[in-house]
């Protein structure tokens, strides 16, 4: 059993809050917390790089020993066939060291997940049990020095040699070396390698193959060269490396052949006839990873907020003449940063629960939209976490800068969350493309011209006319009405999409290349994608709160819900003012109300972070002892 | 001689750009660069904490050996009596390791500067030469665990004992221990200690005294307890520590007695009769420090931008069908982040040059305003640096996350720039108070009631009436007109100040305590202070560019100048729209123009960063090799 979260006086029951956030899979979360709060998981103090890496590897093994690594794999190979449980494990680990999180995710999620998803029975039988037990540590060798976001143009080749029934894996240049590959520098024995599959001289695009990197004693295999990436800004418990392949031969069977195969004699076949769709199905492994990173981002933000709320609640500085010094969390400027971040964190949490549910129930028909939701929430949540953690550090002043209080580490570790598993800008552009096609086409692959025509035709009909009175309404009933918030975000999304489509159409009609046209409207496309993601998060939050029956908890959540809705409008009030959706007076009234609700929430801030349910031994920050 | 910056093809001469930025004191800058590019200053690769601290200490000594530490001290003690030269040295060091920068600043600036500024001839004669040579390493013991921003309520005491003619320095509780003190954990032999001065039972407020911490062999003196703060988020080459004083006795002469003294028999005298003014004069040492930190922030941003511009210029990813991949700096979203940051960095640079000049020429009359300018630019520039460096890291993707490319270190090191030498929020509030009093009262000490009345009376007369056509003008001549930009920022500043004063007056007239009234308007006060600072920076930039005669350089700077003005309006367009200063169409036109100017500047971006003049061996990032 994990430690009990200390009792905090609040109008609501903090355990009920915790229940609300836990959602499904409470049991597996408690199991993970039980493991993480055991003494072996105590953080190392100022370890050397080798010590840190070794410790993290042993932590991953401990989690594997508990049977918590392979829950997403089929039951017959020791798993539970339950991707949602796997994500619950992952996001709970995010309360602990984020190197552990990433190393766990690389091995069980990216590597093991590729074998499970892209492989077939022969791969499952041969590898999955050893992956689940960590007997076969692996890595995910997709990114190259020269190609990160643009996976389609990777340069590593896998040429089929029918004579020997082998693939020859080769790194044609230094810019084609695999780079930043987690687990590669030290521990991985096998890699899922993404390479251009060339059969009989024909390039069939990027496919995934299993390649052994090291033998069981850890020695590098012939033809493999690995370089250590060395120190990084953060996540130094993960051994990232660079890999070169010098005409490395692997048996034909090492092709992960669920979506495409090559026969002995060298015939390429795929049930998916569209090569581009085959490519996007192949890199679909990343969807679970993106959902996981988004969820973990939310929990990393919770750690930072718990530390910052506890410290700023107790910290006193200045005060009225003759009065005792004031808690710094009573200062408006600080409240204005911390309290909306609390609300947003709870909002993201509900969205991730919703998305995990959708992901578990996904079908051919919903897959495209879920991919877009994964991309959008990954981008928004990772940005939210990084921004929130930076703000928490600053809110804690000098104390926040001390390593023992963990905020600096959390910032450095999460900084790359905005980059890996898809750079945020690139993901948001994929979302915008998805919006333009209503997720009817293959994700990331569309005929811009056709869809743009379609969206512009449709748009005029769907965007509600502005009520001429609404932009001026400043009565509190209206401002606090969740429907107003939802309508505002929906209106913004529709308008941005419509105007984006119109601008693209204009350019394409003028003969501009669609790539250039999209680049000229890139800021617009990113804004549309953000608007779509924010509307989704708000809707999830509204739906989740609507189901809460406990009146005290409901009252607290209602305040956070209203705050979040208003804060999102306030944060983008420039857009709403430009669009005529708000007039100046209403915009000011919203700001005043945001300030007021921050003050209303403030007394329960300590209880809210208690509701996050992070055990003290995981928080571990001396300034955050409750 | 430092290395030559490589030749870059541009319409202007990069050396002329460098001249423009160098301003005064080119010679001393070149001297510092010559030292920093010598082989001994090569960065350590993955040092241990003790190695790193020792190396930084030796670097500081090398700089002292060059006679570059004490330039601000009087000539007779080996200095040059030239604060501007000292700041030029400091900001040039900011191109190198920022631990070196901070350790240098703590010893020569905060410690030595206090002795020079707060001490009298006896202190100068006894200590300054040894401080300038680093024979006597020192620290600046102001902050306590319980009091950082609120220096006035520090709890360390210095009680005068007339019987022995000594002061007794004492730490009454753990929250009164000195904390985060740079140089204290290992190297400082002496501290300037800020303590409540108590003479004959009467507390005269915070004063500074010299206290020996260690003997020359490094052993701690009796009654002194020092604890190592250990690892921090960044700046780990600086040994920060905590200090407790257990009734430590120092001779009466150790009081830095320029602004207040205690006679043998225990009579307190000060030429400054107002105790509050005496306090603010005492902590005036911080003004030079704040200017220095602001200047160093600007140069740290230059390092990050140089790395990011060079990498994103060369990095290619995606592209139009059939075309080669496109330089990522050609993507609008990236341009939109990097290019305005370039412009803002140059703008801040001109402001710092202006402020250093004002500081050198300061008088009793201008001191208050210079303090406010130091506070505002420190807050804005440190925030700019941190934000810019984070953006640079993300722009460089995975490569940006590798420690060897230095961006992570720059982020971690500069994060605390927003906190130390005055937390930014606190500084901006001081600025707001200064604005309310027109710097006529003691900085930070005013009768809010009186001044608020005064400002509101004055305000109505000075704020120009809005031209009814202006909010709609979208012709390019107007939008590109620097006068439009200056007027907009001036208008915002005036309006924010006027409305702040009005809101405060209302509250105070309703009987609210002035502290509470200010807190209720805290966001407003911070906005007013930012507006004031941004207008100042823009004006400095405009004035500096107006003096440039070289047509090619002038054209480049004009673009940056216009971009900066428009970007500042665009960044706060919500305010301008709310205030009716802009209408929606004009706001959109400004955004389009910002995008367009980013594209105009893009081809010269590589040349602009060459103009920053940072030697390659200091940049040291493999991805930034020109």
């Amino acid at each position: 059993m994990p430690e009990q979260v200390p009792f905090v006086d609040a109008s609501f029951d903090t355990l009920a809050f915790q229940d609300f956030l836990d959602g499904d899979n409470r049991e597996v979360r408690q199991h993970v917390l039980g493991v993480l709060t055991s003494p072996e998981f105590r953080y190392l103090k100022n370890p050397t790089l080798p010590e840190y890496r070794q410790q993290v590897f042993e932590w991953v093994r401990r989690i594997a020993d508990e049977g918590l690594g392979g829950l997403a794999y089929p039951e017959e190979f020791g798993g539970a066939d339950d991707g949602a449980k796997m994500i619950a494990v992952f996001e709970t680990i995010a309360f602990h060291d984020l190197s552990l999180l990433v190393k766990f995710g690389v091995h069980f999620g990216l590597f093991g997940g590729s074998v499970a998803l892209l492989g077939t029975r022969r791969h499952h039988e041969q590898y999955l049990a050893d992956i689940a037990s960590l007997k076969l540590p692996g890595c995910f060798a997709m990114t190259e020095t020269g190609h990160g976001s643009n996976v389609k143009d990777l340069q590593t080749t896998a040429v089929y040699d029918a004579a020997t029934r082998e693939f020859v894996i080769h790194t044609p240049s230094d810019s084609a070396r695999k780079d930043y590959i987690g687990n590669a520098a030290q521990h991985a024995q096998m890699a899922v390698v993404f390479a251009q599959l060339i059969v009989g001289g024909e390039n069939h695009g990027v496919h995934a193959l299993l390649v052994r990197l090291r033998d069981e004693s850890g020695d590098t295999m012939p033809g493999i060269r690995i370089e250590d990436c060395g120190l990084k800004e953060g996540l130094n418990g993960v051994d990232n490396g660079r890999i070169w392949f010098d005409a490395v031969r692997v048996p034909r069977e090492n092709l992960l052949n669920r979506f495409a195969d090559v026969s002995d004699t060298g015939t390429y076949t795929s049930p998916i006839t569209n090569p581009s769709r085959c490519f996007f199905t192949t890199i679909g492994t990343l969807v679970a990873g993106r959902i996981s990173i988004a969820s973990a981002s939310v929990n990393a933000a919770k750690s930072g907020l718990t530390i910052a709320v506890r410290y700023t609640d107790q910290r006193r500085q200045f005060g009225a003449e003759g009065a005792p010094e004031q808690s710094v969390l009573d200062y408006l400027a600080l409240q204005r940063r911390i309290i909306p971040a609390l609300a947003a964190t709870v909002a993201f949490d509900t969205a991730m629960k919703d998305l995990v549910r959708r992901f578990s129930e996904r079908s051919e028909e919903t897959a495209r939209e879920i991919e877009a939701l994964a991309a959008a929430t990954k981008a928004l949540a990772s940005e939210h976490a990084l921004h929130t953690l930076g703000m928490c550090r600053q809110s804690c002043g000098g104390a926040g800068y001390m390593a023992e209080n963990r905020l600096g580490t959390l910032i450095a570790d999460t900084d790359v969350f905005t980059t890996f598993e898809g750079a945020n800008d690139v993901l948001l552009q994929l979302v915008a493309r998805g919006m333009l096609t209503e997720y009817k086409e293959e994700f990331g692959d569309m005929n811009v011209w056709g869809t743009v025509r379609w969206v512009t035709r449709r748009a005029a009909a769907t965007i509600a006319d502005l009520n001429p009175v609404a932009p001026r309404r400043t009565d509190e009933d209206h401002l606090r009405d969740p429907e107003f918030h939802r309508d505002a975000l929906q209106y913004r999304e529709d308008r941005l999409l419509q105007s984006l489509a119109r601008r693209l159409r204009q350019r394409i009609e003028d003969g501009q290349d669609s790539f250039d046209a999209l680049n000229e409207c890139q800021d617009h496309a990113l804004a549309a994608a953000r608007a779509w993601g924010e509307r989704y998060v708000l809707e999830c939050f509204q739906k989740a709160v609507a189901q809460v029956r406990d009146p005290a908890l409901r009252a607290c959540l209602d305040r956070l819900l209203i705050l979040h809705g208003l804060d999102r409008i306030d944060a983008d009030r420039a857009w709403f003012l430009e669009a005529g959706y708000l007039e100046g007076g209403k915009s000011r009234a919203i700001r005043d109300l945001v300030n007021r609700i921050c003050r209303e929430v403030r007394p329960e801030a300590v209880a809210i972070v208690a509701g996050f349910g992070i055990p003290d031994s995981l928080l571990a920050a001396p300034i955050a002892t409750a």
Side-chain angles (χ1 to χ4, degrees), chain A:
Chain A
M1 271 297 293
E3 303 157 28
Q4 287 298 308
V5 168
F7 174 74
V8 178
D9 195 24
S11 69
F12 60 87
D13 178 1
T14 56
L15 289 175
F17 201 114
Q18 228 171 302
D19 266 345
F20 170 76
L21 291 178
D22 268 353
D24 300 335
N25 295 313
R26 182 176 175 80
E27 205 173 314
V28 74
R29 286 169 206 280
Q30 292 297 311
H31 184 178
V32 176
L33 285 182
V35 174
L36 296 177
T37 51
S38 70
E40 329 150 54
F41 278 81
R42 209 167 285 149
Y43 300 122
L44 297 182
K45 218 179 149 180
N46 195 7
T48 63
L49 192 67
E51 284 165 359
Y52 190 15
R53 287 177 172 182
Q54 192 54 37
Q55 176 65 82
V56 169
F57 186 60
E58 281 158 24
W59 282 336
V60 176
R61 185 177 299 289
R62 256 301 266 122
I63 294 175
D65 290 347
E66 292 281 332
L68 290 165
L71 296 175
Y73 309 156
E75 289 186 43
E76 56 181 313
F77 306 109
D81 215 354
D82 191 335
K85 265 209 178 72
M86 170 73 169
I87 293 172
V89 172
F90 188 79
E91 68 177 351
T92 308
I93 296 176
F95 289 143
H96 193 264
D97 184 300
L98 298 179
S99 286
L100 169 59
L101 176 90
V102 169
K103 187 131 176 149
F104 175 94
V106 164
H107 172 76
F108 295 109
L110 293 176
F111 171 64
S114 298
V115 173
L117 195 75
L118 303 178
T120 51
R121 189 145 190 99
R122 69 176 187 239
H123 306 106
H124 298 173
E125 281 173 355
Q126 195 173 350
Y127 300 114
L128 277 183
D130 285 351
I131 292 173
S133 69
L134 199 64
K135 198 180 154 204
L136 180 70
C139 66
F140 183 82
M142 178 181 272
T143 296
E144 297 174 358
T145 306
H147 288 91
S149 296
N150 185 5
V151 175
K152 222 170 174 167
D153 287 344
L154 291 176
Q155 297 180 295
T156 301
T157 51
V159 178
Y160 186 63
D161 179 351
T164 61
R165 300 179 184 172
E166 290 172 323
F167 289 102
V168 183
I169 317 291
H170 190 65
T171 304
S173 72
D174 263 1
S175 84
R177 66 183 185 191
K178 297 295 176 181
D179 208 347
Y180 321 124
I181 309 301
N183 232 2
Q186 234 173 305
H187 294 123
Q189 290 177 13
M190 187 162 268
V192 170
V193 176
F194 290 80
Q196 303 289 347
L197 189 74
I198 296 165
V199 184
E202 192 183 344
N203 187 347
H204 293 279
V206 170
H207 289 67
L209 304 97
L210 288 168
V211 182
R212 196 167 251 287
L213 299 178
R214 294 184 174 89
D215 61 23
E216 283 175 33
S217 65
D219 291 327
T220 308
M221 302 297 286
I224 307 275
R225 181 155 68 93
I226 298 178
E227 192 177 276
D228 197 319
C229 288
L231 265 192
K232 306 184 296 294
E233 177 184 348
L235 298 178
N236 281 304
V238 182
D239 52 313
N240 293 72
R242 307 185 173 107
I243 314 172
W244 289 257
F245 302 97
D246 184 10
V248 173
R249 292 181 165 263
V250 301
R252 188 188 68 94
E253 291 72 22
N254 280 25
L255 178 68
L256 293 174
N257 62 335
R258 177 156 164 209
F259 299 115
D261 207 351
V262 174
S263 73
D264 268 8
T265 54
T267 307
Y268 177 89
T269 52
S270 170
I272 307 170
T273 47
N274 177 341
S276 171
R277 188 168 159 204
C278 185
F279 168 72
F280 283 105
T281 307
T282 302
I283 65 168
T285 345
L286 291 171
V287 175
R290 286 172 186 159
I291 297 175
S292 299
I293 290 298
S295 301
S297 297
V298 177
N299 278 4
K302 287 183 196 163
S303 294
L305 285 166
T306 305
I307 294 167
V309 165
R310 288 189 181 168
Y311 180 70
T312 58
D313 174 65
Q314 288 168 25
R315 172 82 172 170
R316 291 167 178 279
Q317 207 76 178
F318 298 110
E321 199 64 35
E325 286 186 284
Q326 175 170 297
S327 158
V328 298
L329 192 49
D330 289 336
Y331 286 96
L332 175 60
L334 204 65
Q335 279 176 13
R336 208 48 185 73
R337 289 183 201 128
I338 288 183
I339 309 281
L342 275 183
T345 301
V346 177
F348 272 116
D349 196 287
T350 62
M352 296 325 300
K353 299 287 173 342
D354 179 82
L355 182 52
V356 168
R357 192 187 45 70
R358 289 184 193 225
F359 179 69
S360 302
E361 299 164 0
R362 72 192 176 282
S363 66
E364 183 74 16
E365 219 176 23
T366 59
R368 299 288 90 74
E369 188 176 3
I370 288 167
E371 286 171 18
L373 288 172
T377 53
K378 186 275 186 183
L380 296 184
S382 60
E383 187 181 280
H384 168 70
L386 183 58
H387 178 263
T388 298
L389 290 165
M391 177 275 291
C392 288
R393 202 300 292 158
Q394 288 187 36
S395 302
C396 294
Y401 200 62
M402 300 299 110
E404 61 179 9
N405 290 320
R406 289 191 60 232
L407 294 168
T409 306
L410 286 166
I411 293 169
D413 286 349
T414 52
D415 189 4
V416 79
F417 285 24
T418 60
T419 296
F420 66 18
E421 311 251 352
N424 284 358
D425 271 2
V426 176
L427 292 181
L428 290 172
Q429 278 181 98
L430 292 181
V431 171
R433 283 165 175 260
M435 292 170 73
L436 286 166
T437 60
E438 270 214 331
Y439 327 107
K440 288 208 176 11
E441 310 264 333
E442 286 315 307
F443 196 51
D445 170 52
M446 60 161 194
N447 177 336
V448 174
W449 174 220
T451 58
V452 158
R453 224 171 6 187
W454 180 82
V455 169
T456 38
R457 206 171 47 225
R458 190 185 61 108
T462 54
I463 296 190
D465 277 335
L466 267 185
N467 173 333
V469 181
R472 277 196 290 271
R473 272 191 73 181
T474 58
D475 55 293
E476 199 156 326
D477 278 353
H478 168 67
L479 294 183
R480 285 187 184 255
D481 183 357
E483 210 164 312
F484 158 52
H485 312 155
R486 213 202 56 84
D487 286 352
L489 298 203
Q490 185 67 59
Y491 180 81
R492 179 180 57 167
E493 174 187 330
D494 292 344
R495 272 282 297 265
L496 281 168
L497 178 59
Q498 180 195 21
S499 51
L500 173 63
R502 200 176 47 229
R503 288 180 65 197
L504 288 174
R505 187 176 67 170
Q506 213 164 51
R507 282 168 173 73
I508 293 167
E509 283 179 352
D510 290 351
Q512 200 170 30
D513 177 90
S514 70
F515 178 84
D516 293 334
L518 267 170
N519 190 28
E520 276 192 16
C521 304
Q522 196 184 20
D523 55 342
H524 195 150
L526 296 181
R530 280 174 192 286
W532 184 77
E534 290 197 351
R535 192 261 315 142
Y536 169 67
V537 171
L538 181 68
E539 273 185 4
C540 291
F541 196 12
Q542 292 185 342
K543 276 185 216 152
V545 172
Q547 281 163 27
V548 174
R549 295 287 158 259
D550 174 334
L553 178 60
R554 176 64 183 265
C556 169
L557 287 169
D558 273 337
R559 271 190 293 274
L560 292 178
L561 179 65
I562 294 167
L563 176 60
H564 183 63
L566 288 170
D567 177 60
R568 290 300 81 203
I569 297 171
D570 182 59
D572 203 16
R573 65 188 186 281
W575 187 88
F576 289 104
L577 286 158
E578 269 184 13
Y581 194 85
L582 296 181
E583 293 197 356
K586 184 166 183 173
S587 173
R588 277 188 293 269
I590 288 172
R591 186 156 63 254
D592 288 346
L593 187 53
V594 167
N595 286 353
R596 204 133 31 87
I597 300 176
C598 284
R599 245 171 273 141
E600 290 171 21
V601 172
R602 185 309 171 214
E604 291 192 329
V606 172
I608 290 167
V609 299
F612 290 166
I614 309 175
D616 274 353
S617 73
L618 300 197
L619 273 182
I623 56 169
T625 42

